[in-house]
Amino acid sequence: MAMIHDPHARPAVDCLEALEAGPDGLSAEEAARRLAEHGPNRLAEVRARGPVLRFFAQFHNVLIYVLLVAAIVTAALQHWVDTCVILAVVLANAMIGFIQEGKAEAAMSAIRDMLAPRASVLRDGRRITVDSVSLVPGDIVLIEAGDKVPADLRLLDARGLAAQEAILTGESVPVEKGVAPAPVDAPLGDRRSMLWSGTLVTQGAARGLVTATGQATEIGRIGGLLAGVEQLTTPLVAQMDHFARWLSFLILLAGALLLAWGYFVGHHDFSEMFMTVVAIAVSAIPEGLPAVMTITLAIGVQAMARRNAIVRRLPAIEAIGSVSVICTDKTGTLTRNEMVVTAVETPAGRFTVTGEGYAPVGEIMPEADLGAIARAAALCNDAALHDRSGHWTVEGDPMEGALLAFAGKAAGDLEARRLDAIPFDSRHRFMAVLTEGASGRVTHVKGAPERVLRMCADIDLDRWHDRAEAMARQGLRVLALAGRDETGDRIDEAALEGGLTFLGLVGLIDPPRPEAIEAVAECRAAGIRVKMITGDHAGTAAAIAARIGLQNTARVLTGADIDKLDDAQLALEVTDVDIFARTSPEDKLRLVTALQAGGRSVAMTGDGVNDAPALKRADAGIAMGLKGSEAAKEAADLVLADDNFATIAAAVREGRTVYDNLKKVISWTLPTNAGESMVLIVALLAGMALPMTAVQILWVNLITGITLGVALAFEPTEPGTMAHPPRPRHAPILSGELVWHVVLVALLFLAAVFGMFSYALDRGYPLALAQTIAMNTLVVLEIFHLFFIRNIHGTSLTWAAARGTRVVWTVVIVITAAQFAVTYLPTMQGVLGTYPVPFRDGLLIVAVGAAFFALIEIEKQIRLGLRR
Ligand code: ATP
């Protein structure tokens, strides 16, 4: 078994030897063998609560306590039927809560798996990307700024490397790292030659040898990273939970007063009065609400995941639905990030390059020797091209892949050994590599033209700036390449400034994504402003923005412009400008803050380590799943599995849908509860016969309250969802409109149920029949209300609206069948005290439901009309 002790204190070569590894990494077979031996590189998971515990946790609820007390009292009074019905309610509630919670937890853990980290390793001398769980001791891992270290690593090679190791050492300032061995007894934080699993690389680049994986790592040993199980909640759900709790408390208090009043003042029979009060309490408390809201969230999380948007922090699901500005990257998000070099310009002339994709086949026109610039493009490069039976793919940065393809078309011998490198950093915008080949030692530099041209000797700066500008205006991404003969085996950084020979400019096309163009238009219709924030050249940015269809493409603010503005000026400017070019990550943070200062709710994308503060600050921070760093993903609320702008628009749509569905659940539940309980309270206070017996109301509550409400969690996106402006930031959900709806529907319920009840009594029907009619009326009203609530943005009177979803119809059919059973089956009649309803009266009940539906639909149309 390959094992090593104290790798931090031994020279790197010793470590390689001890782990039987070479500089080219392991072979695929050896890696597989070691994986079988050492096991997956994964930390033991915290065990979630077991099913038994989860089931019993369902009983921990005010309503259930009330019901259990009621069951005991009714049993003491020997009202066995009541006791059984109450216990059935308790059990059904617990079962449904249990199943829903299980579904929600499963949804969340499936999503956690989608975010499994990946690592770049050398296997068989080639750089490949693997799931971090498959790393084994002896693997050579390539690390760059923003990565989360996938295993314990002994550094073989490091440049400007620093890591933040707070989870292990508590030290929040990044520690500099290097290859030199550390003293054997140095504490963890001082073992500078190691990178520890789970820590974050804040800058630099490195190559490290895996010395320990899984539980054998330092973090595994201290049992760290015990990521707590995330609570399935958002501010809104927490708010409603709180509200439901207070409401329950108030209802119980009112119930106790009612009981005292009924017994002492009204001189009602205690046991009957007690059952009535229990029924009122149960019908008034919106017990199912928090559970249904949770399932709505879980379904929303799944729907987003299906659309490639992975929710990392649940509150984001609410936030993303309310955004009014989306700040997005350009490359890979709005564009395809499938680059091709199409234009080259050297002091010798202008050239066009043909060919498709990353295949190194194509022509240079007019024919010329571009060997020097091609060598620079190929050697100052970290990517690799793979030929998969004619289909060429890139490992690494697609732009660098395109440069490799170009080099393959232009030059023959590109072999050279790398001696030193300065990695690309979006702050200095260039990269340099020193190699040794047939033509000796050369340092090649590539980067943003403004930066690289300044480093070159003897060139006409103005002319080349103009040329770069001209290429950018065509929407090309432009890079300048330069070189310098070197004598030593390290890059002489001081000599780079002003000491380079200019080799030429290359222009790469990166076509816009067609779906991004559509998505930008959709956002516009939804009142959401899309802004592009890019590190690219202003000219390129503006050209792409125009093709994508951003609103204002006339003005561009660059990072330098932003630096000149103070916060107040910036807040003014950001309103109107949609393109920000040559920006740094610090600018992103200022932009988010400036937009928020104007009361806007901002979504911001990011991929690098330095984007983390802006992602945290944004209302919805969005990281790129493919090209994003782990640091960005950890800071983000949402991760895009496909890096695609269209996915952001889809997430907004889903976010709005979830919010609407939460609102629908609330708008359906509260009036239902209010209506049900008011029917009983009014009858009781008026000293009339109750329109429903206590057992009947428990029944209605049991079967409808939970089933019908849950159906709303599955509602698909309404057609008008992306046709109206975003809801204001922090808009309360219990709005005036909602309160009005609760009052209106509760009153209509009251009128309809009492109306039918008195009609039945007037016709001389026995009390049991009148009560059965009243109960069925209530259920029919609830079903009609459900169909009404499904459409809050438009009319419910379309075929699509009436057709509904499978869930809605299943629930409606089940409930209708249940109502027929309790009304017409003799055994059920015995339990619930019901009486067969004549056919004509059955029709009348449905007609009353339809009339109720018509009334509230007309009221909605008037309300929507007034709003327009
Ligand atoms: P976008 O917002 O469009 O994604 P970006 O974030 O890719 O832009 P940066 O990565 O910051 O922008 O790059 C900024 C500039 O740095 C590029 O326009 C290019 O000129 C240069 N550049 C990018 N990558 C490299 C690289 N690997 N080597 C050299 N120069 C690079």
Side-chain angles (χ1 to χ4, degrees):
M1 190 179 213
M3 286 244 304
I4 184 167
H5 294 289
D6 298 326
H8 63 279
R10 302 166 61 169
V13 279
D14 279 15
C15 299
L16 274 172
E17 203 172 296
L19 285 170
E20 296 160 39
D24 281 349
L26 303 173
S27 66
E29 301 82 61
E30 178 61 13
R33 200 188 59 70
R34 291 192 188 190
L35 187 62
E37 184 181 341
H38 292 266
N41 176 32
R42 185 188 294 137
L43 293 181
E45 273 180 34
V46 208
R47 297 225 22 93
R49 263 184 317 165
V52 178
L53 215 72
R54 246 188 39 218
F55 182 73
F56 281 107
Q58 303 300 328
F59 292 90
H60 179 54
N61 172 324
V62 187
L63 180 85
I64 300 286
Y65 295 154
V66 176
L67 286 176
L68 288 176
V69 170
I72 295 169
V73 175
T74 48
L77 296 170
Q78 302 193 331
H79 288 211
W80 299 118
V81 173
D82 297 346
T83 314
C84 289
V85 172
I86 293 175
L87 288 179
V89 172
V90 169
L91 221 64
N93 243 311
M95 281 303 292
I96 289 177
F98 175 74
I99 293 167
Q100 285 177 350
E101 215 182 80
K103 268 193 84 159
E105 276 182 13
M108 285 312 282
S109 77
I111 277 165
R112 228 170 288 132
D113 289 344
M114 286 178 75
L115 283 174
R118 298 173 65 78
S120 271
V121 294
L122 284 181
R123 294 253 172 100
D124 295 312
R126 290 213 320 191
R127 173 184 171 158
I128 57 167
T129 307
V130 299
D131 279 335
S132 297
V133 280
S134 65
L135 289 181
V136 294
D139 260 330
I140 292 182
V141 177
L142 305 172
I143 289 284
E144 56 187 37
D147 284 353
K148 190 162 174 183
V149 180
D152 283 358
L153 304 177
R154 170 65 168 92
L155 291 170
L156 301 176
D157 183 5
R159 175 119 210 164
L161 191 67
Q164 207 264 24
E165 303 183 329
I167 58 157
L168 210 56
T169 61
E171 173 62 60
S172 63
V173 181
V175 193
E176 284 178 21
K177 299 282 179 171
V179 289
V184 180
D185 52 359
L188 274 191
D190 291 342
R191 299 185 180 177
R192 306 277 170 119
S193 56
M194 300 289 295
L195 279 180
W196 306 113
S197 181
T199 61
L200 269 179
V201 178
T202 54
Q203 61 175 52
R207 201 173 269 250
L209 173 72
V210 175
T211 56
T213 59
Q215 285 302 109
T217 59
E218 291 300 327
I219 192 80
R221 259 189 260 176
I222 63 165
L225 272 191
L226 296 182
V229 181
E230 201 186 346
Q231 282 286 320
L232 203 59
T233 187
T234 70
L236 189 69
V237 175
Q239 212 177 314
M240 279 316 291
D241 206 13
H242 193 73
F243 170 78
R245 234 172 263 185
W246 270 103
L247 196 64
S248 309
F249 179 72
L250 285 179
I251 290 168
L252 289 183
L253 197 69
L257 290 176
L258 203 60
L259 183 62
W261 174 86
Y263 185 65
F264 293 112
V265 184
H267 302 292
H268 290 278
D269 170 47
F270 178 80
S271 68
E272 211 168 276
M273 191 62 208
F274 178 80
M275 272 308 289
T276 309
V277 168
V278 167
I280 291 174
V282 171
S283 59
I285 295 175
E287 75 279 3
L289 199 53
V292 177
M293 289 179 78
T294 305
I295 192 93
T296 308
L297 286 181
I299 289 168
V301 166
Q302 279 174 320
M304 284 207 192
R306 267 196 303 277
R307 297 300 321 262
N308 285 326
I310 301 158
V311 178
R312 282 200 74 240
R313 273 187 259 290
L314 264 167
I317 211 166
E318 255 169 53
I320 188 77
S322 76
V323 298
S324 53
V325 177
I326 300 176
C327 296
T328 171
D329 289 347
K330 172 176 70 67
T331 309
T333 314
L334 292 171
T335 66
R336 294 177 188 226
N337 205 9
E338 285 164 10
M339 305 218 192
V340 184
V341 173
T342 56
V344 175
E345 194 159 339
T346 72
R350 292 182 204 173
F351 307 92
T352 313
V353 185
T354 65
E356 274 182 22
Y358 297 105
V361 275
E363 280 172 50
I364 313 287
M365 294 186 303
E367 214 171 293
D369 174 17
L370 295 184
I373 191 170
R375 279 182 75 76
L379 298 178
C380 186
N381 202 314
D382 284 325
L385 292 183
H386 300 310
D387 179 6
R388 299 215 162 84
S389 44
H391 178 69
W392 289 78
T393 55
V394 186
E395 178 75 38
D397 179 0
M399 183 184 75
E400 297 198 328
L403 290 175
L404 283 182
F406 155 67
K409 295 169 192 174
D413 173 30
L414 296 167
E415 281 306 306
R417 194 164 62 92
R418 185 184 281 210
L419 300 176
D420 192 18
I422 302 175
F424 172 74
D425 179 328
S426 58
R427 260 178 287 212
H428 57 237
R429 294 202 180 93
F430 75 88
M431 145 175 190
V433 172
L434 167 61
T435 50
E436 184 173 48
S439 46
R441 292 183 179 179
V442 189
T443 295
H444 287 113
V445 176
K446 78 170 193 298
E450 310 93 284
R451 183 71 189 89
V452 176
L453 290 174
R454 251 196 293 139
M455 300 158 103
C456 296
D458 308 323
I459 59 163
D460 181 349
L461 262 183
D462 287 343
R463 175 181 162 225
W464 285 105
H465 273 306
D466 285 350
R467 292 310 310 147
E469 189 77 35
M471 280 166 109
R473 267 199 304 274
Q474 298 166 28
L476 296 179
R477 169 171 263 216
V478 190
L479 282 183
L481 293 141
R484 172 177 190 277
D485 291 337
E486 198 84 56
T487 44
D489 56 7
R490 295 255 114 190
I491 295 173
D492 182 355
E493 289 188 39
L496 289 185
E497 301 294 339
L500 293 180
T501 308
F502 178 62
L503 296 173
L505 300 175
V506 293
L508 303 103
I509 55 163
D510 179 14
R513 291 174 181 267
E515 66 274 26
I517 299 177
E518 272 168 41
V520 166
E522 185 184 12
C523 286
R524 216 164 162 175
I528 300 166
R529 189 86 178 238
V530 179
K531 295 179 189 281
M532 174 199 278
I533 303 186
T534 172
D536 216 335
H537 190 280
T540 315
I544 301 280
R547 274 182 229 168
I548 290 284
L550 295 197
Q551 200 164 333
N552 176 6
T553 52
R555 279 191 67 203
V556 180
L557 272 191
T558 64
D561 297 333
I562 294 173
D563 288 343
K564 284 190 215 118
L565 300 173
D566 66 27
D567 290 345
Q569 289 167 318
L570 185 62
L572 277 180
E573 293 280 359
V574 289
T575 313
D576 193 41
V577 177
D578 287 341
I579 309 171
F580 301 89
R582 287 293 188 233
T583 52
S584 65
E586 292 73 36
D587 295 331
K588 279 192 174 179
L589 182 60
R590 280 194 70 202
L591 287 172
V592 179
T593 316
L595 284 164
Q596 286 174 335
R600 275 165 286 241
S601 188
V602 184
M604 166 69 83
T605 66
D607 48 18
V609 221
N610 304 319
D611 289 337
L615 293 181
K616 285 211 178 108
R617 175 71 210 230
D619 299 272
I622 304 173
M624 300 299 148
L626 298 176
K627 69 167 186 172
S629 63
E630 282 302 317
K633 288 183 205 168
E634 295 220 329
D637 303 300
L638 214 67
V639 177
L640 304 183
D642 58 1
D643 292 11
N644 190 340
F645 182 81
T647 303
I648 303 180
V652 171
R653 199 176 326 117
E654 289 299 339
R656 287 186 173 193
T657 305
V658 168
Y659 189 86
D660 282 349
N661 286 356
L662 290 175
K663 210 157 117 182
K664 288 175 187 179
V665 167
I666 297 171
S667 314
W668 186 84
T669 310
L670 293 185
T672 302
N673 288 119
E676 281 177 9
S677 51
M678 263 163 65
V679 169
L680 294 188
I681 294 175
V682 168
L684 195 67
L685 292 182
M688 294 163 58
L690 294 182
M692 269 165 273
T693 66
V695 180
Q696 285 166 356
I697 204 100
L698 282 176
W699 161 258
V700 172
N701 211 273
L702 164 68
I703 63 154
T704 59
I706 305 166
T707 47
L708 285 177
V710 173
L712 289 171
F714 293 86
E715 280 299 292
T717 308
E718 256 188 71
T721 303
M722 291 295 270
H724 62 87
R727 65 173 196 270
R729 202 144 89 111
H730 311 309
I733 191 142
L734 290 172
S735 59
E737 207 174 275
L738 185 73
V739 173
W740 159 239
H741 181 76
V742 174
V743 173
L744 176 71
V745 173
L747 288 177
L748 289 174
F749 270 31
L750 195 65
V753 173
F754 263 111
M756 288 302 286
F757 183 58
S758 341
Y759 151 84
L761 290 181
D762 281 354
R763 296 204 57 165
Y765 288 170
L767 180 62
L769 175 55
Q771 287 177 328
T772 311
I773 289 177
M775 174 184 65
N776 278 304
T777 307
L778 185 62
V779 173
V780 166
L781 289 173
E782 288 181 7
I783 293 175
F784 273 102
H785 190 207
L786 182 75
F787 274 90
F788 166 82
I789 273 301
R790 296 188 54 236
N791 296 281
I792 52 179
H793 297 305
T795 170
S796 314
L797 299 172
T798 61
W799 167 235
R803 204 176 50 194
T805 61
R806 191 137 42 114
V807 183
V808 167
W809 279 108
T810 311
V811 164
V812 168
I813 289 169
V814 167
I815 286 185
T816 311
Q819 283 308 113
F820 269 96
V822 297
T823 308
Y824 297 107
L825 289 186
T827 32
M828 295 301 277
Q829 289 167 352
V831 177
L832 289 176
T834 46
Y835 196 96
V837 176
F839 181 68
R840 254 195 33 196
D841 292 319
L843 285 186
L844 190 61
I845 291 173
V846 177
V848 166
F852 158 79
F853 182 78
L855 266 178
I856 50 178
E857 183 65 26
I858 290 169
E859 188 269 345
K860 175 173 74 184
Q861 292 305 335
I862 295 173
R863 211 161 12 89
L864 289 179
L866 285 182
R867 212 189 289 161
R868 264 182 224 122

